[in-house]
Amino acid sequence: MLNHYETAFILTPVLSDTQMKEAVDKYEKLLTDNGGQILNREEWGLKKLAYPIKGKTTGFYALLQFDVEPEVVATLETAYRRDERVLRFLTFRLDKYAFEYAEKRRNRNTKKED
């Protein structure tokens, strides 16, 4: 059974925009190759960190919302840990209320883009 998940991660600020998009594409491809379905992708850009991480005070923020088998999340997090470009990450399963809220947020964001 597929569960709803959301993952947010921070990439090192020394990357160019192209390299940042390639990194996000890499994780998106990892999920789709393992039977996942991407529901939403948000790139929040370069933001100031609340506290320095590995000597960096800024980072590229990205968020992926997806449906996938629970075993694939461990594969995703292992890939995060092995990648020097990832400063921090957080992946969590959405319950039905969080999923409904994420859907509303996604719809609100698509209306703003129109």
Side-chain angles (χ1 to χ4, degrees):
M1 181 179 139
L2 298 178
N3 289 329
H4 305 295
Y5 290 94
E6 198 168 82
T7 186
F9 52 98
I10 306 170
L11 298 169
T12 183
V14 298
L15 301 175
S16 68
D17 283 341
T18 307
Q19 291 171 321
M20 188 267 300
K21 289 184 188 319
E22 287 172 358
V24 176
D25 289 341
K26 171 188 169 183
Y27 295 114
E28 193 172 306
K29 183 175 179 346
L30 185 142
L31 292 167
T32 55
D33 288 350
N34 286 295
Q37 177 186 3
I38 305 297
L39 303 176
N40 189 27
R41 171 182 170 156
E42 296 178 22
E43 295 169 6
W44 297 336
L46 190 65
K47 302 275 186 192
K48 186 171 176 11
L49 301 174
Y51 54 88
I53 302 172
K54 298 181 183 175
K56 309 287 192 280
T57 57
T58 58
F60 286 106
Y61 282 71
L63 176 124
L64 293 174
Q65 186 181 359
F66 55 94
D67 292 341
V68 75
E69 293 288 335
E71 302 82 37
V72 179
V73 174
T75 306
L76 176 66
E77 291 186 347
T78 300
Y80 284 148
R81 287 185 185 95
R82 290 182 178 163
D83 194 341
E84 295 175 348
R85 300 173 294 186
V86 177
L87 298 176
R88 288 283 192 276
F89 66 90
L90 178 66
T91 305
F92 51 94
R93 189 175 71 79
L94 300 174
D95 62 9
K96 67 179 183 177
Y97 303 110
F99 181 72
E100 288 172 7
Y101 175 78
E103 220 171 14
K104 287 178 188 175
R105 186 186 75 223
R106 188 172 57 232
N107 291 338
R108 192 171 358 136
N109 288 343
T110 55
K111 287 180 184 176
K112 285 182 183 178
E113 291 173 2
D114 293 342

